[in-house]
Amino acid sequence: SWSFCVFLLVLCIRFCEWLTWLESERLPLQLVDPLALSIKELQRLLEARGIPHDDLIEKTELVEAVENSGGLSTEESEVLMQTASFEESLNFTSERHFLEEVEDSKSTVWAVRVVPHGHKPFPNYPLWNVVAHRLSRIGIQTGTFYCPRHNSWCLRQGWKIVP
């Protein structure tokens, strides 16, 4: 009779989990396979978690970094997709890209986040995304220029860390 009570209790718990799943259309604490994400999404996730990834080139390296930092829940994946839909900030890929976008559009106001060599981006990705989204509402374009990728050009521009 005692084991029957335990059985009923477990059955009730499973029934409640099933109801939760029906309401939310997914199992609670369901994990997402990071391999299903694109490289850009993996990079965005690592940035949101504050994990440096500039030296990670291959998708397998990015996936391993995500797995080492903890599982990817369905909820976190959904938040990642929602913030991606608001992303309006550019990541400048070269000096030429920067000059084409910023210098050649003199009529546009820009806020550019310059990431110096040997430093993490400040503000971090989630905060920068909020700033970029708010600035875009008033017509200000945003972008990020990573000096570790273009160190000599950053030095010519005078973008360096002053101790």
Side-chain angles (χ1 to χ4, degrees):
S1 93
W2 180 254
S3 61
F4 183 72
C5 289
V6 171
F7 173 75
L8 282 178
L9 180 63
V10 169
L11 188 62
C12 288
I13 291 171
R14 293 294 178 203
F15 182 73
C16 290
E17 286 178 351
W18 180 71
L19 287 176
T20 303
W21 175 75
L22 281 178
E23 289 177 3
S24 65
E25 298 180 4
R26 64 180 179 270
L27 293 173
L29 301 176
Q30 186 176 5
L31 296 179
V32 175
D33 183 7
L35 277 173
L37 300 176
S38 70
I39 290 175
K40 192 171 192 169
E41 291 167 335
L42 290 167
Q43 290 170 336
R44 192 178 304 119
L45 176 62
L46 290 170
E47 286 175 7
R49 290 181 175 184
I51 298 169
H53 61 84
D54 290 337
D55 57 333
L56 305 176
I57 299 169
E58 298 293 324
K59 182 174 182 176
T60 54
E61 295 172 323
L62 294 167
V63 168
E64 184 179 345
V66 167
E67 289 172 343
N68 289 340
S69 67
L72 176 60
S73 68
T74 306
E75 290 79 13
E76 187 178 15
S77 175
E78 288 173 358
V79 168
L80 179 68
M81 297 308 154
Q82 288 171 355
T83 57
S85 66
F86 294 120
E87 184 177 346
E88 299 169 15
S89 185
L90 287 176
N91 284 320
F92 299 108
T93 57
S94 65
E95 303 166 32
R96 183 181 204 167
H97 184 212
F98 177 83
L99 292 172
E100 287 173 356
E101 293 292 336
V102 177
E103 294 294 325
D104 291 348
S105 60
K106 299 276 187 204
S107 63
T108 306
V109 176
W110 281 86
V112 178
R113 175 176 70 158
V114 177
V115 181
H117 187 70
H119 293 278
K120 292 181 181 178
F122 179 81
N124 62 17
Y125 180 80
L127 180 57
W128 178 250
N129 197 26
V130 170
V131 169
H133 184 65
R134 288 184 181 168
L135 289 175
S136 71
R137 291 183 196 162
I138 57 172
I140 298 175
Q141 300 238 349
T142 57
T144 301
F145 195 88
Y146 291 93
C147 284
R149 296 181 190 147
H150 313 282
N151 198 33
S152 61
W153 194 72
C154 286
L155 291 174
R156 284 195 309 269
Q157 298 300 315
W159 298 340
K160 57 187 174 184
I161 293 293
V162 179

